[in-house]
Amino acid sequence: MGDKVGAVLVVGGGVAGIQAALDLADSGFRVYLLDESPSIGGTMAQLDKTFPTNDCAMCILAPKLVAAGRHPNIHLITHAEIEGVEGEPGNFKVKVRRKARYVDPEKCTGCGVCARECPIEAIDEYDEGLSRRSAIYVKYVQAVPRTYIIDRGKCIGCGTCKEVCRAGAIKYDDKDEVVELPVGAIILAPGFEEFNPVVKSEYGYKRYPNVVTSIEFERILSASGPYGGVVLRPSDGRIPRKIAFIQCVGSRDAQIGNEYCSAACCMYAIKEAIIAKEHVPTKLDCTIFYMDIRAYGKDFEKYYKRAMEEYGIRFVRARVASIDEDPVTRNLIVKYVDNEKPCEEEFDMIILSVGMRPPKNAEKLARAVGIELNKYGFCLTNPLSSIETTKPGVFVCGAFAGPKDIPESVAQASGAAAKAMSIIASERGKLVAVKEYPPEKDVSKEEPRIGVFICHCGINIGGYVNVPEVTEYAKTLPNVVYAEHNLYTCSEDTQKRIKEKIIEHNLNRVVVASCTPRTHEPLFRETVREAGLNEYLFEMANIRDQCSWVHMHEPKAATEKAKDLVRSAVAKARMLRPLKKPTVSVIPVALVIGGGVSGMTAAVELAKQGFEVHLVEREKDLGGNLKRIYYLLEGEDPQKYMRNLIDEVNKYPSIHVYLGAEVVEVSGFVGNFKSKILHGGGIKEIEHGVIIVATGATEYKPKEYLYGVDPRVITQRELEEKIYRGLFDAKTVAMIQCVGARNEENPNCSRICCSEAIKNALKIKEISPETEVYIFYKDVRSYGFKEEYYHEALKKGIVFINYDDARKPTVMREGERLKLIFWEPVLQHEIEIYPDLVVLSAAVVPNPDNKKVAEMLKVPLTKDGFFLEAHMKLRPVDFQTDGVFLCGLAHGPKPIDESVSQACAAAARAATILSKEVLELEGIIATVNEDLCGGCRICESVCPFGAIEMVEKDGGLVAKVIEALCKGCGTCGSACPTKAISPQHFTTEQILSQVRAILAG
Amino acid sequence: MEAGLRIICFICDWAFPEWSIETPPNVSVIQVKCIGRLDPIIILEAFARGVDGVIVVGCKWPDCHFIDGSLYGERTIRLLKKIMALTGLETERLRLEMVSPIENRSLSSIVEKFIDDIKDFGPLFKGKEADKELLFNLQAAEQAVTWSRLRMLSGRERKLTEKVNVYGERISQEEYDRLIEEALEEEYIRSKIYLITKGKPASVEEISRRIGVDSFLVLQHIVTLRRKGLLGVDRIEGYTPLYKALEVG
């Protein structure tokens, strides 16, 4: 066996691949991030907004793109493919073909002159064919790497680009290059391909111009898209008044061999409908034709409700039979069947919600890597750990492992990173480069020399704010020695420019007027740091959110306001002082709260990487909810899985298990926590660097349907227990879905109950085929590959009956018998049945301890009481508080495999901290001028983070800031009676300078 | 002979001895260094200003004084004929005649033959409604050849079809013709859209009706024009965006 290699190959540079790469690179491994396409970004880069937060997709992705692009340990290999893999886990040799690009990435500056002059036009794939690009092109403006590429199939070889390229980057004699990469593990994240609806000829896609796919519609919605973000009908460029979405196009369709559900389409359709309504200046009617609305994710149901109630989006449960075009108006006539009644309705435009297909080259990739695919062509995975492929050392994440949305892809990505890390943990730090910054320039004696960079953000800002005018204005401001405007100030080439300008004009302060500092400030700070300036000599003005977005219809006012904001930012920049970032040492130990499947998995994953773990479980034994799960839809034995996992926990001496124990106190901060564990009557004190919250959840105890009154009314979990113990005996079983979920009190969907009901129903049919099973549901939410089991249940004669809130089934006693009355939606009248057993699919409700834990850790909960992550889309297992992570049911209802993925993800995220000896912290914190401090303790009492302690000085008390806890909020500064404590970077003088500047306009 | 027809004759400085340049009164001769100098804009502008026929006389290869300048001129005329066909102008109104200085042909007979051949077409502008359309088409054609795409393609034509491209491959003439025709057609429509919206903002459907091109295609061209920074949304009226040409500068 060869030596292990501390490097990982990540195949696919979409959001999942990028996340995996960043986690690995931040934990001390070298990463090769490979993408078939010329730039990373994947499908997410094409999206307009994301659900359920309506964040702009590019705005939240761009910082990650840039972080991956500039990370010293991430090597991008774009426009490349894998040819073969040899070796074993820990030491693979991967043959990679880097295809000729005909442009030298080292020399290309991304200026775009070549594309402007190129006489050849081609279909723009990024815009889904709705626009054209030239034969030499870059995929999109913010692309990383922003290196142009020649489309050899289209290029006529005229030589123009070479002539106009001032950088000398054109390389017509470029050849494919085959390189061999030694890596310890491989992560596959090649994503998916959209279903091509041409085969569903009844929908008229490509025949009727006003029938578009959902991804085409994303481009239509996007400000960077073909129509500049104005929703238009392709046939005549008019703004539609009435549009419809058709769900499940290419999904849940046995006829075309795609039986599975594509998992994300319901939500993206709702999102697209909402965004379309927001983009259209006039009134827009949106209708969604669906089979089941599968809004099963965290807070998705609320989003769905908002779509109905707030936005007036109409939902019609019907399968659309056909679409015809009115040849004169090019309107579309939709034929569908609603409640057995044939209906016809005319729309201006139709969006087909196309499903996910395996990536185009899945088979080739599978052959080259040596993994197996499932029957649909997606990656075959372990049902209990969906990040593992059939080949050891090769992991998978994102849609290639099965259709899924972004947060789940991101969680899987971090999870796959953890799996990869554990194989090569011994090689951590051996192949990484430490980023070197130029020595920091001392600017303290210099007069401020400010450079201002103003962003068009495509048309996001430039479409409404007169950016050149603002730039000219900026040049007139005091101490501004340079100002320019950029199409995208955040793009990689602009970073290069900013650095050049800092040196050229000897700038010692930089102002960027663009979007929000929340997403983009770290990027620009890094840039100024790379140019030798202290990173805090940077200031941002948010002229997108505050000017162009809110004053779209008053461009003059928007421009004037942008000038005010720039003036204010410049005024503050003049007063900026360099700050030092404090550092803390890291105790490489983790505390995991909760010993269910998630907590155990996280503990084992960290132990595999060589970290010490304290695993605290409240109950007397490990296992959590898994203890009461006896079988799974996919056939695996969960009890065996649990026993193995417990054995593994016990195998590691580095995992300290505390049973019947509770964490009662947590203090400290990232890298240096101190906690007290109540265990065996005593208190054990531990020190640790991170915390993983895996406190699980419980089953709702129903108050409905005679539960607790009649013993024949039980929950799914009780039914499972009954079947497992051989106590099941019933001729008729009625299951009622959404008990305690999707109602006023608990608006969210519990995600797992539909599959649980199907699982138990199938089990009943297996042991007692003659038993009749009814499932009363609102929507059947057997998402992803679980859809197969729904089909199987239908085939086995399990009866699914839809109900809505207005007509819930009722359960009563009639003599000795149980009677259930329900409304039959097809027959349109009430029917009675007499079940022997009524099984309630009870909601998953948060652990009642969550509140206590949340307070102790100072982390937030959602309204319904689950833990709230740092960002719903891109940080699914992080908390806002550094060093604290979450996974499993504590985050929200989910099946075992998703809990396992998240647990691995939490381990990977934790490892990015535990793997460092020293952590660099945020520099914007409060400082105390001890001479002024009177020791009154007001600051201590107002600090929300407990970041102030009182220390003795000269016989009195003075305040002292605990740097690692201070978040820089500044509350102390406003409260201090003697102005002794001051939040740096937001000093009173600095803020006043902004106020004065604004009022001076 | 139709005395009314206005003819311009472009001749190469080297094609005829100075003393032999003799043409009828309605024919004006413009001497150029070489017919390679004839930018398509010049000839289209001549038509737009009402010339009824243009004859270009250059030197046959290999007797061109500028090695192969006249061969480029030949390509230009070929391109112009394609453009003229699009505008609805009779392609016969433009003629290229290649002579060799040693042939000693008389210019006046060449010109007379030309005039005779086109006399049945009559004047280009007939003082009718259709004139406006033709003028508009000619202006659009002129705009199309002003933009870089066609210039780039026609400028490279000889190198790419007669020699090899940067990859050492040769492109067949048929393929290149197809390429140019495709580009020409697109650029011509785009020019029309540009010109219409230069006057006053117009919607996709207005443009479509005005130029007789399917609104679906018009929108696609608008997308491209916007990308190139040549067109922008002026305003949205009800459900209809109106586009306006942007001054390039």
Side-chain angles (χ1 to χ4, degrees), chain B residues 86-87 133 136-141 143-144 147 186-198 207 210-213 225:
Chain B
L86 286 176
T87 61
E133 192 60 32
F136 173 68
N137 289 353
L138 281 167
Q139 283 166 343
Q143 179 63 64
W147 285 335
E186 288 170 358
E187 296 292 289
Y188 179 59
I189 296 174
R190 288 172 194 169
S191 298
K192 285 185 164 181
I193 297 172
Y194 183 73
L195 291 182
I196 287 173
T197 54
K198 214 170 173 177
I207 297 166
R210 174 80 172 76
I211 65 177
V213 173
L225 286 167

Short mmCIF file of all heavy atoms in Angstrom, two decimals, chain B residues 86-87 133 136-141 143-144 147 186-198 207 210-213 225:
data_model
loop_
_atom_site.label_atom_id
_atom_site.label_comp_id
_atom_site.label_asym_id
_atom_site.label_seq_id
_atom_site.Cartn_x
_atom_site.Cartn_y
_atom_site.Cartn_z
N LEU B 86 -31.04 41.55 -50.69
CA LEU B 86 -31.87 41.67 -49.50
C LEU B 86 -32.69 42.94 -49.50
O LEU B 86 -33.83 42.97 -49.04
CB LEU B 86 -30.99 41.66 -48.24
CG LEU B 86 -30.38 40.34 -47.80
CD1 LEU B 86 -29.48 40.59 -46.58
CD2 LEU B 86 -31.46 39.34 -47.45
N THR B 87 -32.12 44.01 -50.04
CA THR B 87 -32.83 45.29 -49.99
C THR B 87 -33.93 45.39 -51.04
O THR B 87 -34.71 46.33 -51.01
CB THR B 87 -31.87 46.47 -50.22
OG1 THR B 87 -31.30 46.33 -51.52
CG2 THR B 87 -30.78 46.53 -49.19
N GLU B 133 -39.42 52.82 -48.79
CA GLU B 133 -39.03 51.51 -48.29
C GLU B 133 -37.62 51.16 -48.77
O GLU B 133 -36.79 50.70 -48.01
CB GLU B 133 -40.05 50.47 -48.80
CG GLU B 133 -39.94 49.12 -48.14
CD GLU B 133 -40.17 49.19 -46.63
OE1 GLU B 133 -40.95 50.04 -46.17
OE2 GLU B 133 -39.54 48.39 -45.92
N PHE B 136 -35.05 53.16 -46.99
CA PHE B 136 -34.87 52.63 -45.64
C PHE B 136 -34.00 51.37 -45.68
O PHE B 136 -33.06 51.19 -44.90
CB PHE B 136 -36.23 52.32 -45.02
CG PHE B 136 -36.15 51.62 -43.71
CD1 PHE B 136 -35.64 52.26 -42.59
CD2 PHE B 136 -36.55 50.29 -43.59
CE1 PHE B 136 -35.55 51.60 -41.37
CE2 PHE B 136 -36.47 49.63 -42.38
CZ PHE B 136 -35.96 50.29 -41.26
N ASN B 137 -34.32 50.50 -46.65
CA ASN B 137 -33.55 49.26 -46.78
C ASN B 137 -32.08 49.55 -47.07
O ASN B 137 -31.19 48.90 -46.52
CB ASN B 137 -34.13 48.40 -47.90
CG ASN B 137 -35.47 47.80 -47.51
OD1 ASN B 137 -35.89 47.93 -46.36
ND2 ASN B 137 -36.13 47.16 -48.45
N LEU B 138 -31.86 50.54 -47.92
CA LEU B 138 -30.48 50.87 -48.26
C LEU B 138 -29.73 51.44 -47.07
O LEU B 138 -28.57 51.13 -46.83
CB LEU B 138 -30.45 51.87 -49.42
CG LEU B 138 -30.68 51.22 -50.79
CD1 LEU B 138 -30.97 52.28 -51.84
CD2 LEU B 138 -29.47 50.38 -51.20
N GLN B 139 -30.45 52.24 -46.31
CA GLN B 139 -29.82 52.79 -45.11
C GLN B 139 -29.48 51.67 -44.14
O GLN B 139 -28.41 51.67 -43.50
CB GLN B 139 -30.74 53.81 -44.43
CG GLN B 139 -30.73 55.14 -45.15
CD GLN B 139 -31.87 56.04 -44.71
OE1 GLN B 139 -32.84 55.57 -44.10
NE2 GLN B 139 -31.78 57.30 -45.04
N ALA B 140 -30.40 50.70 -44.03
CA ALA B 140 -30.15 49.57 -43.13
C ALA B 140 -28.95 48.77 -43.61
O ALA B 140 -28.10 48.36 -42.83
CB ALA B 140 -31.39 48.68 -43.06
N ALA B 141 -28.87 48.59 -44.92
CA ALA B 141 -27.74 47.85 -45.48
C ALA B 141 -26.44 48.57 -45.18
O ALA B 141 -25.43 47.96 -44.81
CB ALA B 141 -27.92 47.68 -46.98
N GLN B 143 -25.90 50.56 -42.67
CA GLN B 143 -25.63 50.38 -41.26
C GLN B 143 -25.00 49.00 -41.01
O GLN B 143 -24.05 48.85 -40.27
CB GLN B 143 -26.93 50.53 -40.46
CG GLN B 143 -26.78 50.35 -38.98
CD GLN B 143 -25.89 51.41 -38.37
OE1 GLN B 143 -26.20 52.60 -38.38
NE2 GLN B 143 -24.73 51.00 -37.86
N ALA B 144 -25.56 48.00 -41.68
CA ALA B 144 -25.08 46.63 -41.47
C ALA B 144 -23.61 46.49 -41.83
O ALA B 144 -22.85 45.82 -41.15
CB ALA B 144 -25.92 45.64 -42.28
N TRP B 147 -21.17 48.09 -39.14
CA TRP B 147 -20.82 47.32 -37.95
C TRP B 147 -19.71 46.32 -38.27
O TRP B 147 -19.55 45.88 -39.41
CB TRP B 147 -22.06 46.61 -37.42
CG TRP B 147 -23.00 47.54 -36.73
CD1 TRP B 147 -22.68 48.73 -36.14
CD2 TRP B 147 -24.41 47.38 -36.57
NE1 TRP B 147 -23.81 49.31 -35.61
CE2 TRP B 147 -24.88 48.51 -35.85
CE3 TRP B 147 -25.33 46.39 -36.94
CZ2 TRP B 147 -26.22 48.66 -35.50
CZ3 TRP B 147 -26.65 46.54 -36.58
CH2 TRP B 147 -27.10 47.67 -35.88
N GLU B 186 -28.77 38.48 -40.57
CA GLU B 186 -28.97 38.91 -39.19
C GLU B 186 -28.63 40.38 -38.99
O GLU B 186 -29.39 41.14 -38.39
CB GLU B 186 -28.12 38.06 -38.24
CG GLU B 186 -28.63 36.64 -38.09
CD GLU B 186 -27.67 35.74 -37.35
OE1 GLU B 186 -26.57 36.21 -36.98
OE2 GLU B 186 -28.01 34.56 -37.15
N GLU B 187 -27.50 40.77 -39.51
CA GLU B 187 -27.06 42.14 -39.31
C GLU B 187 -27.99 43.13 -40.02
O GLU B 187 -28.19 44.24 -39.55
CB GLU B 187 -25.62 42.32 -39.82
CG GLU B 187 -24.60 41.50 -39.06
CD GLU B 187 -24.40 41.96 -37.62
OE1 GLU B 187 -23.83 43.03 -37.41
OE2 GLU B 187 -24.83 41.23 -36.71
N TYR B 188 -28.54 42.68 -41.12
CA TYR B 188 -29.46 43.54 -41.88
C TYR B 188 -30.74 43.79 -41.07
O TYR B 188 -31.20 44.92 -40.94
CB TYR B 188 -29.76 42.86 -43.22
CG TYR B 188 -30.71 43.60 -44.12
CD1 TYR B 188 -30.42 44.89 -44.55
CD2 TYR B 188 -31.88 42.99 -44.56
CE1 TYR B 188 -31.30 45.57 -45.40
CE2 TYR B 188 -32.75 43.65 -45.41
CZ TYR B 188 -32.47 44.94 -45.83
OH TYR B 188 -33.33 45.59 -46.66
N ILE B 189 -31.26 42.71 -40.49
CA ILE B 189 -32.47 42.89 -39.67
C ILE B 189 -32.14 43.76 -38.45
O ILE B 189 -32.88 44.67 -38.08
CB ILE B 189 -33.03 41.53 -39.21
CG1 ILE B 189 -33.48 40.72 -40.43
CG2 ILE B 189 -34.19 41.71 -38.25
CD1 ILE B 189 -33.93 39.31 -40.11
N ARG B 190 -31.00 43.48 -37.84
CA ARG B 190 -30.61 44.26 -36.66
C ARG B 190 -30.46 45.75 -37.02
O ARG B 190 -30.86 46.62 -36.26
CB ARG B 190 -29.29 43.73 -36.09
CG ARG B 190 -29.47 42.40 -35.39
CD ARG B 190 -28.14 41.79 -34.99
NE ARG B 190 -28.35 40.39 -34.63
CZ ARG B 190 -27.36 39.52 -34.44
NH1 ARG B 190 -26.10 39.92 -34.58
NH2 ARG B 190 -27.63 38.28 -34.10
N SER B 191 -29.90 45.99 -38.19
CA SER B 191 -29.75 47.38 -38.62
C SER B 191 -31.10 48.06 -38.75
O SER B 191 -31.27 49.21 -38.34
CB SER B 191 -29.06 47.44 -39.99
OG SER B 191 -27.79 46.90 -39.89
N LYS B 192 -32.05 47.33 -39.30
CA LYS B 192 -33.39 47.91 -39.46
C LYS B 192 -33.98 48.25 -38.10
O LYS B 192 -34.55 49.33 -37.90
CB LYS B 192 -34.30 46.92 -40.19
CG LYS B 192 -34.02 46.84 -41.67
CD LYS B 192 -35.04 45.94 -42.31
CE LYS B 192 -35.05 46.12 -43.83
NZ LYS B 192 -36.07 45.25 -44.44
N ILE B 193 -33.82 47.29 -37.16
CA ILE B 193 -34.35 47.54 -35.81
C ILE B 193 -33.67 48.77 -35.22
O ILE B 193 -34.31 49.65 -34.64
CB ILE B 193 -34.10 46.30 -34.91
CG1 ILE B 193 -34.87 45.10 -35.46
CG2 ILE B 193 -34.49 46.60 -33.47
CD1 ILE B 193 -34.57 43.78 -34.77
N TYR B 194 -32.38 48.83 -35.43
CA TYR B 194 -31.61 49.96 -34.89
C TYR B 194 -32.09 51.29 -35.47
O TYR B 194 -32.32 52.24 -34.75
CB TYR B 194 -30.13 49.71 -35.19
CG TYR B 194 -29.22 50.76 -34.64
CD1 TYR B 194 -28.95 50.82 -33.28
CD2 TYR B 194 -28.60 51.68 -35.48
CE1 TYR B 194 -28.09 51.78 -32.76
CE2 TYR B 194 -27.74 52.65 -34.97
CZ TYR B 194 -27.50 52.69 -33.61
OH TYR B 194 -26.66 53.64 -33.10
N LEU B 195 -32.27 51.28 -36.79
CA LEU B 195 -32.68 52.53 -37.44
C LEU B 195 -34.07 52.97 -37.02
O LEU B 195 -34.32 54.14 -36.77
CB LEU B 195 -32.62 52.38 -38.96
CG LEU B 195 -31.21 52.26 -39.56
CD1 LEU B 195 -31.30 52.15 -41.08
CD2 LEU B 195 -30.35 53.45 -39.16
N ILE B 196 -34.97 51.99 -36.94
CA ILE B 196 -36.35 52.33 -36.56
C ILE B 196 -36.35 52.97 -35.18
O ILE B 196 -36.96 54.01 -34.95
CB ILE B 196 -37.23 51.06 -36.56
CG1 ILE B 196 -37.50 50.65 -38.00
CG2 ILE B 196 -38.54 51.31 -35.82
CD1 ILE B 196 -38.21 49.32 -38.12
N THR B 197 -35.62 52.34 -34.25
CA THR B 197 -35.66 52.82 -32.88
C THR B 197 -34.80 54.06 -32.68
O THR B 197 -34.87 54.70 -31.65
CB THR B 197 -35.22 51.72 -31.90
OG1 THR B 197 -33.94 51.23 -32.31
CG2 THR B 197 -36.20 50.57 -31.89
N LYS B 198 -34.01 54.36 -33.66
CA LYS B 198 -33.23 55.59 -33.60
C LYS B 198 -34.17 56.78 -33.76
O LYS B 198 -34.00 57.81 -33.13
CB LYS B 198 -32.21 55.60 -34.73
CG LYS B 198 -30.91 56.26 -34.39
CD LYS B 198 -29.91 56.01 -35.49
CE LYS B 198 -28.64 56.79 -35.24
NZ LYS B 198 -27.64 56.49 -36.25
N ILE B 207 -42.04 46.97 -34.53
CA ILE B 207 -40.88 46.71 -35.39
C ILE B 207 -41.19 45.56 -36.33
O ILE B 207 -40.92 45.62 -37.53
CB ILE B 207 -39.64 46.39 -34.54
CG1 ILE B 207 -39.26 47.60 -33.69
CG2 ILE B 207 -38.48 45.95 -35.42
CD1 ILE B 207 -38.27 47.30 -32.58
N ARG B 210 -43.39 46.64 -39.07
CA ARG B 210 -42.70 47.57 -39.95
C ARG B 210 -41.75 46.85 -40.91
O ARG B 210 -41.65 47.21 -42.07
CB ARG B 210 -41.94 48.56 -39.06
CG ARG B 210 -41.04 49.53 -39.74
CD ARG B 210 -41.84 50.69 -40.31
NE ARG B 210 -40.93 51.72 -40.80
CZ ARG B 210 -40.25 51.62 -41.95
NH1 ARG B 210 -40.42 50.58 -42.71
NH2 ARG B 210 -39.44 52.59 -42.33
N ILE B 211 -41.07 45.83 -40.44
CA ILE B 211 -40.06 45.20 -41.29
C ILE B 211 -40.46 43.82 -41.78
O ILE B 211 -39.70 43.15 -42.47
CB ILE B 211 -38.68 45.13 -40.59
CG1 ILE B 211 -38.72 44.21 -39.37
CG2 ILE B 211 -38.20 46.52 -40.21
CD1 ILE B 211 -37.37 44.05 -38.68
N GLY B 212 -41.63 43.38 -41.38
CA GLY B 212 -42.12 42.10 -41.89
C GLY B 212 -41.30 40.90 -41.42
O GLY B 212 -41.11 39.94 -42.16
N VAL B 213 -40.79 40.99 -40.21
CA VAL B 213 -40.06 39.86 -39.65
C VAL B 213 -40.83 39.40 -38.42
O VAL B 213 -41.34 40.24 -37.65
CB VAL B 213 -38.62 40.27 -39.25
CG1 VAL B 213 -37.92 39.16 -38.51
CG2 VAL B 213 -37.83 40.68 -40.49
N LEU B 225 -28.82 43.05 -29.70
CA LEU B 225 -28.48 44.48 -29.80
C LEU B 225 -28.28 45.09 -28.41
O LEU B 225 -27.41 45.93 -28.21
CB LEU B 225 -29.59 45.23 -30.55
CG LEU B 225 -29.62 44.99 -32.06
CD1 LEU B 225 -30.93 45.51 -32.65
CD2 LEU B 225 -28.44 45.67 -32.74
#
